Amino acid sequence: MNFRNKLYRFMQGRNGADEFAKFQNRASLVLLMLAILFSILTVAFVRHAMKAAVVFRILYFVFYALGLAMMIWCTFRMMSRNVAKRQKENTTFLYRRQKLRRFFENKKQEWKNRKTYKYFKCPKCGQRMRAPRHKGKIRVTCSNCSNVFFTKT
Ligand SMILES: [Zn+2]
């Protein structure tokens, strides 16, 4: 039996590399690279600025521990046989990532159109809305909860 088959056999019934595991893998690499950077800074500062060197040494340990923990967590999730639970974690991760992306996308749009549109939220339910600028004080009816309020444009 060749290596590919062995690996396939081994991974059968296990969670494998889902999107969350891929993110964890990248995150652990970033954390470990930062640990290396702080290690270099420790050596660079040790002769001239002892206090800074101590801080960099502590940061090195913190980032090394975090990177290692993330790598172990990632491996555990990939090897796990409790696929249902791991899939649930993955779904939660995807949902949060989507929410975060939408948040930044919205901020980008708001910045781009800041001269033509005033962006605001319904004070009652938090529904996002926009209105053309330079129309003075306007009366707004929320499309979500029908709350009526005034806003300056
Ligand atoms: Zn509302």
Side-chain angles (χ1 to χ4, degrees):
M1 197 159 57
N2 64 31
F3 178 73
R4 240 185 163 179
N5 281 332
K6 272 183 187 165
L7 187 69
Y8 180 77
R9 271 268 183 97
F10 178 74
M11 288 310 289
Q12 245 179 355
R14 295 176 197 268
N15 190 54
D18 55 16
E19 280 301 305
F20 188 26
K22 283 177 195 165
F23 168 79
Q24 287 178 308
N25 187 42
R26 282 195 295 266
S28 69
L29 287 176
V30 170
L31 290 165
L32 291 173
M33 278 197 288
L34 284 169
I36 291 169
L37 177 74
F38 287 125
S39 175
I40 291 165
L41 286 171
T42 307
V43 176
F45 277 79
V46 76
R47 281 195 190 165
H48 317 287
M50 196 57 200
K51 273 184 186 166
V54 170
V55 172
F56 287 134
R57 193 76 185 145
I58 292 165
L59 285 171
Y60 158 75
F61 276 118
V62 169
F63 279 88
Y64 183 72
L66 286 173
L68 205 64
M70 188 60 94
M71 200 170 258
I72 291 165
W73 187 18
C74 174
T75 310
F76 161 77
R77 288 194 65 261
M78 283 171 68
M79 297 299 133
S80 174
R81 288 183 190 279
N82 192 349
V83 176
K85 201 172 176 188
R86 300 288 89 80
Q87 275 178 350
K88 218 175 153 189
E89 288 167 0
N90 192 48
T91 308
T92 307
F93 165 75
L94 291 174
Y95 172 74
R96 284 181 186 162
R97 186 171 71 177
Q98 188 56 37
K99 228 172 120 181
L100 202 70
R101 278 181 183 170
R102 208 176 297 140
F103 174 81
F104 284 113
E105 195 51 50
N106 286 340
K107 288 289 162 217
K108 216 172 103 186
Q109 281 297 321
E110 284 178 21
W111 181 252
K112 223 174 99 187
N113 301 327
R114 70 191 182 282
K115 280 183 180 145
T116 40
Y117 287 101
K118 154 97 187 241
Y119 290 84
F120 51 94
K121 275 180 180 172
C122 168
K124 202 175 163 191
C125 73
Q127 169 76 26
R128 292 176 73 255
M129 280 173 276
R130 70 173 194 183
R133 285 227 183 253
H134 315 301
K135 303 270 179 206
K137 199 174 175 186
I138 58 160
R139 186 175 174 272
V140 183
T141 307
C142 176
S143 56
N144 185 46
C145 73
S146 310
N147 177 36
V148 178
F149 60 97
F150 290 89
T151 191
K152 265 168 124 184
T153 57

